Amino acid sequence: MTSIAANLQAVHARIAAACAACGRDAAAVRLLAVSKTWTAAAVRAAAACGERAFGESYVQEAVAKMSELADLDLAWHFIGPLQSNKTRPVAEAFAWVHSIDRLKIAERLSAQRPDRLPPLQVCIEVNVSGEASKSGCAPADVAALAAAVAGLPRLRLRGLMAIPEPSDDAALQRRRFASLRTLRDTLNGAGFALDTLSMGMSHDLEAAIAEGANIVRVGTAIFGARTKND
Ligand SMILES: *Cc1c(COP(=O)(O)O)cnc(C)c1O
């Protein structure tokens, strides 16, 4: 077995154990394999193990990988910070964007989404760590952004995403993820139908699953440590 295959088996076992520990159905948690900085060959190895959904943070790198892997039927999720001058290739090539943090980006993605493709599935990224993190929409601004995004014709608002500050404190991890879940529940109580919490990474996926994650975004535990500092 390649190490990617063995790592994937271990990650799926962690997800299953975390679901069992809190009485959730393991089918309710999807694994997004975060392949940023890794080669097309690494993605191909993960795809050979049955993975279909891959997360990327750098537009040019992702587009090059997609063309190398065009023979596979993969779903690409954009999870990184998105500048307005890079929205077009994202609108044209990705199935999901998890990192919507302002209306201007959402408007551009909607305008640039080709008609031949289904609507782009999107999550709003929320800054649940306050000062400790700079990316994401402030929790107080999420409802207004969600209302505006939900009105865009070529986007489908699926839920919320967060990247809490790295911490080994399990209680703190749980609090951050719980705050995202509470925000989602509040929005759904106000009439939204958000079915996705994108939260949990290699080091904290158990805490995220305990708080209701539907998509965990895992890179290091599958592909190994990245050399780039991100
Ligand atoms: C890199 C990245 C991940 C994966 O993190 P790991 O710690 O390698 O599992 C998840 N989400 C986002 C937004 C990322 O940028």
Side-chain angles (χ1 to χ4, degrees), residues 76-125:
W76 295 93
H77 294 225
F78 191 80
I79 61 175
L82 189 48
Q83 294 158 356
S84 57
N85 63 348
K86 300 258 180 70
T87 52
R88 184 174 294 280
V90 172
E92 291 177 347
F94 282 82
W96 283 68
V97 174
H98 293 228
S99 46
I100 301 284
D101 63 356
R102 56 197 195 278
L103 184 58
K104 181 183 176 193
I105 296 293
E107 287 172 340
R108 290 178 66 91
L109 289 169
S110 181
Q112 293 167 343
R113 182 69 168 173
D115 286 332
R116 68 187 150 77
L117 295 178
L120 187 60
Q121 313 292 302
V122 301
C123 292
I124 291 175
E125 181 179 348

Side-chain angles (χ1 to χ4, degrees), residues 34 36 57 79-80 161 163 200-203 217-221 224 226 230:
V34 176
K36 66 181 183 203
S57 296
I79 61 175
M161 183 273 243
I163 314 170
M201 308 184 4
S202 292
H203 67 285
R217 308 177 311 268
V218 178
T220 305
R226 288 177 297 275
D230 58 8

